[in-house]
Amino acid sequence: ESATAFGCLMSDLWLGEFDYVSPEAFHSVFGKRYLTFSTRTQQDAQEFLMCVLEELHQAFREVRAQLRHLGEASAEASRGSGSGTSIITQLFEGQLSYSITCLKCKTITDRPESFTVLSLPIPSGRVCALEDCLDCFFQPDTLTQNNQIHCCWCGTNQDATVKATITRAPQIIIFHLKRFAWQDRHRRKLSTTVCYPFSNLDLSPYSSRFFYKNAAYSLCALVNHTGDIDYGHYTAFCKHSTTKHWYSFDDTQVTKISDSAVQTDTAYLLFY
């Protein structure tokens, strides 16, 4: 299975016996499950990440269910706690609440929604900050015409405003910078430089004051994409949890890099 192949890949990485390891075995098994990723053509890293997390989540859920069935689960699991959860959801899953206000009767409805990746729009311009992207994502939006909501109090479709708020922040939050956008019926890649903080990322302006724990996030990894929509190259920068040094992963080349080199104009996925 994909989860087993992924586990073998992680073991090879952390054993440190090789200068680099190839994910060929994992790619082969994973490609049989998700045919989109079975070829050698370029695919989207964000879509791949979502599929990997979902595959691991389901695998860990199955193992937990089997242990519970055999009576070997932990005391916590035996109490029925979090049957739909896994280590993946515990680490990566957060929750948004969409506050929808009917513009006629002013009734407010809250709709919760879980997330593992936040896809952030990039403001137009040559340079912006990650906080600008967050501001765009969390700014209120007005729903009119074909996007009207059905108001239960009014009994009809009405214009409304909707605003998202983080009600549960995950331990590891992943941001997807939406670099591929539609313009004049054609997709293009946005080359905007997004400046992101290495530490003390404050999510309190976008969080409910009743749920936010006043935690500051630090950057631990990122994925870069160079090239255009149809042809490009992915690399990764990762911070060693012990030494705090940054390393670049570029195919078979793994090199130590300076902190200043971590800020790039090709960042596509950010892990905090």
Side-chain angles (χ1 to χ4, degrees):
E1 290 187 356
S2 298
T4 302
F6 183 83
C8 292
L9 176 61
M10 292 299 101
S11 295
D12 289 342
L13 283 172
W14 285 102
L15 284 174
E17 297 179 354
F18 311 100
D19 292 334
Y20 61 88
V21 296
S22 171
E24 285 289 338
F26 172 68
H27 176 262
S28 176
V29 175
F30 191 79
K32 294 177 182 178
R33 172 80 168 163
Y34 298 89
L35 296 180
T36 302
F37 303 106
S38 63
T39 66
R40 296 286 182 173
T41 57
Q42 176 177 287
Q43 302 296 334
D44 186 80
Q46 185 259 345
E47 295 176 2
F48 175 74
L49 172 65
M50 294 293 289
C51 290
V52 171
L53 292 179
E54 177 61 21
E55 187 75 2
L56 294 177
H57 167 60
Q58 294 299 337
F60 286 129
R61 283 187 62 192
E62 290 175 7
V63 171
R64 171 177 283 189
Q66 291 172 1
L67 291 175
R68 185 179 294 111
H69 178 71
L70 295 173
E72 298 174 4
S74 65
E76 178 182 1
S78 298
R79 291 195 295 269
S81 172
S83 60
T85 66
S86 70
I87 185 63
I88 300 300
T89 56
Q90 291 169 14
L91 289 175
F92 297 101
E93 186 176 273
Q95 188 174 71
L96 298 173
S97 178
Y98 288 93
S99 181
I100 304 171
T101 304
C102 173
L103 294 181
K104 181 177 181 181
C105 69
K106 306 304 180 183
T107 297
I108 300 176
T109 304
D110 290 319
R111 295 182 182 175
E113 181 178 295
S114 298
F115 72 89
T116 50
V117 176
L118 285 184
S119 293
L120 306 181
I122 300 177
S124 59
R126 297 180 59 184
V127 180
C128 72
L130 178 61
E131 289 81 358
D132 297 325
C133 300
L134 287 164
D135 288 342
C136 285
F137 182 89
F138 287 101
Q139 69 180 358
D141 193 15
T142 302
L143 306 178
T144 62
Q145 299 178 355
N146 294 334
N147 294 320
Q148 286 182 325
I149 58 104
H150 181 79
C151 178
C152 295
W153 290 96
C154 296
T156 57
N157 290 344
Q158 298 291 339
D159 291 351
T161 59
V162 58
K163 187 180 186 305
T165 304
I166 298 175
T167 53
R168 188 179 74 247
Q171 292 186 46
I172 301 173
I173 190 164
I174 305 171
F175 297 119
H176 162 228
L177 301 179
K178 298 173 68 174
R179 291 200 175 276
F180 303 106
W182 287 95
Q183 186 179 53
D184 299 329
R185 297 183 180 180
H186 297 284
R187 289 192 74 195
R188 66 184 183 93
K189 183 182 178 182
L190 302 177
S191 57
T192 303
T193 297
V194 179
C195 299
Y196 36 89
F198 288 11
S199 61
N200 297 319
L201 175 64
D202 183 14
L203 295 182
S204 60
Y206 320 104
S207 306
S208 167
R209 61 188 180 91
F210 297 107
F211 294 91
Y212 190 68
K213 296 182 179 179
N214 196 31
Y217 284 82
S218 296
L219 185 68
C220 60
L222 63 105
V223 173
N224 299 293
H225 179 269
T226 55
D228 55 28
I229 292 177
D230 299 317
Y231 179 81
H233 182 61
Y234 284 110
T235 60
F237 295 161
C238 301
K239 187 177 185 180
H240 195 286
S241 58
T242 303
T243 65
K244 307 303 179 183
H245 294 150
W246 282 92
Y247 291 86
S248 168
F249 295 80
D250 185 353
D251 291 342
T252 61
Q253 301 298 316
V254 180
T255 55
K256 183 179 177 181
I257 59 175
S258 64
D259 290 358
S260 60
V262 178
Q263 178 71 60
T264 73
D265 58 1
T266 57
Y268 186 55
L269 294 170
L270 300 169
F271 297 76
Y272 280 88

